[in-house]
């Protein structure tokens, strides 16, 4: 019923993909949010190019961030999923 509606900034994510952190490879698409399944730090490159580390992210957290890359250096969190 709602699958044909356009995706807006306030709409829930329509796609998801597991992330393998990498210092060299961007995500397939800029994230709308990032799910963290296992507690730890999440090091990312934000949409604007700024490197940022989110410390002590709890398991099950959904961070509403526009990330272009999840970095392997500095990321200790696990079971990470990009949401689009």
């Amino acid at each position: 019923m709602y699958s044909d509606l356009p995706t807006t900034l306030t709409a829930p994510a329509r796609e998801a993909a597991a992330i393998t952190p990498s210092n060299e490879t961007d995500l397939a698409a800029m994230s709308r949010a990032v799910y963290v399944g296992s507690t730890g730090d999440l090091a990312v490159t934000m949409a604007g190019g700024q490197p940022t580390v989110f410390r002590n992210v709890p398991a099950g957290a959904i961070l509403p961030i526009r990330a272009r890359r999840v970095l392997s250096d500095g990321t200790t969190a696990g079971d990470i999923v990009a949401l689009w």
Side-chain angles (χ1 to χ4, degrees), residues 11-60:
R14 294 174 64 114
E15 309 268 340
I19 295 175
T20 300
S22 170
N23 291 330
E24 294 85 31
T25 305
D26 285 345
L27 301 174
M30 194 82 58
S31 72
R32 294 174 58 110
V34 176
Y35 169 81
V36 176
S38 300
T39 302
D41 296 345
L42 184 71
V44 300
T45 301
M46 298 295 290
Q50 312 89 334
T52 304
V53 178
F54 295 90
R55 303 265 180 221
N56 302 310
V57 179

